[in-house]
């Protein structure tokens, strides 16, 4: 069961994608039947503001030790060319080794690749970065025609259009927590994946919708 979620905050992280993770996991929606999460933003030094790519800095709530017992370690989008500090990569590798899950949003997949966690696995990233991800990590199986991929404990998404994970035990299908698009309106709309993939999916625009 996913209860503790740690978002890794590296320099020049994308504020929007970090905000998406906070929107999904950091807000108490138990009144709507959504499980409660212990959401932590983890940085190398939580006493120092971390610059984002949007011109402002964020102060993390935890150091990297805050991810040591996380059920899910998430990487928001960030610079595809890094840098990827070794302590972050160690956190990701350790998470997989102890049976936790890791997840990337958009170009956050490059940090998973730097940790060696995409080797031999299918993965997704934003279509603009797909070729670069495949070149940099040739052992990764980059799929341009999907919005998200779950390959064992590693979850990758093509962008902030869709974040999905199984919130129950790995062997027992349980709840899906979906954030299909940032939108506060209700109803349904079609989401077409860019890049010529021709993939069109019906998605819910309600944030944090729980699907049994």
């Amino acid at each position: 069961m996913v209860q503790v979620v740690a978002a890794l905050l590296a320099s020049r992280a994308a504020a929007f994608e970090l905000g998406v993770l906070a929107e999904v996991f950091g807000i108490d929606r138990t009144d709507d039947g959504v499980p409660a999460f212990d959401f932590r933003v983890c940085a190398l030094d939580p006493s120092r503001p971390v610059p984002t790519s949007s011109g402002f800095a964020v102060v993390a709530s935890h150091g990297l030790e805050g991810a040591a017992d996380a059920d899910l370690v998430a990487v928001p989008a960030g610079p595809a060319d890094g840098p990827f500090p070794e302590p972050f990569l160690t956190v990701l590798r350790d998470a997989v080794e102890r049976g936790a899950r890791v997840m990337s949003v958009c170009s956050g997949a490059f940090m998973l690749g730097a940790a060696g966690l995409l080797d031999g696995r299918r993965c997704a990233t934003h279509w603009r970065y797909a070729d670069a991800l495949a070149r940099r990590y040739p052992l990764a199986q980059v799929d341009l025609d999907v919005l998200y991929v779950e390959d064992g404990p590693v979850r990758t998404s093509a962008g902030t259009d869709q974040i999905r994970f199984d919130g129950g035990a790995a062997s027992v299908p349980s709840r899906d927590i979906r954030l299909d698009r940032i939108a506060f309106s209700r109803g349904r709309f079609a989401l077409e994946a860019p890049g010529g993939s021709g993939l069109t999916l019906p998605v819910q625009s309600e944030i944090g919708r729980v699907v049994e």
Side-chain angles (χ1 to χ4, degrees):
M1 187 72 179
V2 173
Q3 295 179 320
V4 179
V5 178
L8 300 186
L9 180 61
S11 180
R12 295 192 294 153
F16 179 76
E17 281 76 4
L18 177 62
V20 168
L21 293 170
E23 181 74 31
V24 175
F25 300 111
I27 295 179
D28 185 350
R29 292 193 176 88
T30 53
D31 288 344
D32 297 324
V34 180
F37 300 103
D38 178 357
F39 179 64
R40 307 168 182 176
V41 178
C42 303
L44 279 172
D45 183 355
S47 69
R48 302 181 61 181
V50 179
T52 69
S53 60
S54 299
F56 61 88
V58 174
V59 176
S61 59
H62 294 73
L64 292 183
E65 67 278 1
D69 62 343
D71 305 300
L72 175 68
V73 180
V75 183
D81 57 353
F84 307 114
E86 186 60 33
F88 286 96
L89 306 184
T90 298
V91 167
L92 291 166
R93 297 186 194 108
D94 288 348
V96 170
E97 289 178 3
R98 61 183 169 80
R101 305 170 186 181
V102 297
M103 180 182 78
S104 66
V105 183
C106 192
S107 58
F110 284 82
M111 184 177 287
L112 296 186
L117 298 179
L118 300 184
D119 292 355
R121 289 189 168 102
R122 288 181 62 240
C123 59
T125 190
H126 193 286
W127 63 272
R128 291 181 183 273
Y129 304 114
D131 288 345
L133 185 67
R135 287 194 303 269
R136 185 167 302 174
Y137 306 112
L139 297 181
Q141 302 167 18
V142 182
D143 193 337
L144 182 61
D145 294 327
V146 296
L147 293 176
Y148 60 82
V149 173
E150 302 178 16
D151 192 326
V154 179
R155 318 297 170 94
T156 53
S157 68
T160 51
D161 286 326
Q162 191 150 123
I163 295 176
R164 175 184 181 273
F165 73 95
D166 177 3
S171 60
V172 180
S174 182
R175 296 177 181 269
D176 286 341
I177 309 299
R178 291 176 181 258
L179 176 68
D180 290 316
R181 184 181 283 274
I182 291 295
F184 290 94
S185 61
R186 295 175 182 269
R188 296 179 68 83
F189 58 90
L191 170 64
E192 182 174 355
S197 68
L199 177 64
T200 302
L201 297 175
V203 296
Q204 287 284 352
S205 61
E206 183 180 353
I207 288 181
R209 181 174 178 81
V210 177
V211 180
E212 293 288 353

